[in-house]
Amino acid sequence: MLRRLVAGLAAIVLGVEAALLVLVHIVLGRTTANQSMSIAGSDPDVMSKATYVMGAGMGAFLVLCAVLAAVTAIRDRGPGRFGRVVLISGAVTHGVLGILSVALVGWAAFATMMLILCLLVLTLTSYAPRSGDGSGGGAGEDTPPLPPTPPFGEIKPTSP
């Protein structure tokens, strides 16, 4: 029950974060276009459009993460390989953004990023594949253990 709640909460938080990030990028793009801002002589229109594209890309990625977390919560089954890779990359992204946000924005933004990171990691670990369930999560109980191998290969005498 708890893992469904965590995955559902992660989906909701990621959806809200996606909407807020898109909104922030729209405001930044409009501000850049209206103020005719440029960095080192860059074209303001290009910078404005790049801001819109970046906001759309990040929003789409976060929506994908939210959908995968919601599907995980609804089905109460772990995500597949693709879903796991996407959620792991979302967790890594939030870790990096959390580190950067301390210096750029402050501790409140860091705490928010770490909360989302924790929700993603908890979702991933609570739906981790178990050994023996056929999902490739490790050696099953029916599989005999491999024989021990010497650390440096077989030892052969050098003289006959």
Side-chain angles (χ1 to χ4, degrees):
M1 181 65 185
L2 179 64
R3 65 185 192 171
R4 289 181 99 169
L5 178 68
V6 168
L9 186 61
I12 291 169
V13 169
L14 286 168
V16 169
E17 182 186 12
L20 287 175
L21 265 176
V22 168
L23 180 66
V24 165
H25 279 83
I26 288 171
V27 169
L28 287 174
R30 285 192 179 160
T31 304
T32 303
N34 290 340
Q35 298 286 326
S36 295
M37 294 178 182
S38 68
I39 297 175
S42 299
D43 185 19
D45 290 333
V46 171
M47 289 183 60
S48 176
K49 289 177 184 167
T51 304
Y52 293 142
V53 169
M54 184 66 172
M58 292 220 22
F61 175 70
L62 289 173
V63 166
L64 176 63
C65 289
V67 167
L68 289 171
V71 167
T72 299
I74 291 169
R75 292 186 338 190
D76 198 23
R77 250 184 33 210
R81 185 175 304 217
F82 173 75
R84 190 167 290 281
V85 167
V86 169
L87 290 177
I88 288 170
S89 64
V92 169
T93 301
H94 280 87
V96 171
L97 288 177
I99 292 168
L100 292 173
S101 67
V102 171
L104 299 174
V105 182
W107 287 102
F110 173 77
T112 303
M113 288 291 132
M114 292 303 106
L115 172 73
I116 298 169
L117 171 69
C118 289
L119 288 172
L120 285 171
V121 169
L122 191 57
T123 298
L124 286 165
T125 56
S126 64
Y127 285 102
R130 306 280 191 260
S131 64
D133 66 353
S135 64
E141 296 157 4
D142 298 334
T143 307
L146 294 173
T149 58
F152 302 108
E154 292 187 36
I155 300 175
K156 296 180 182 177
T158 56
S159 62

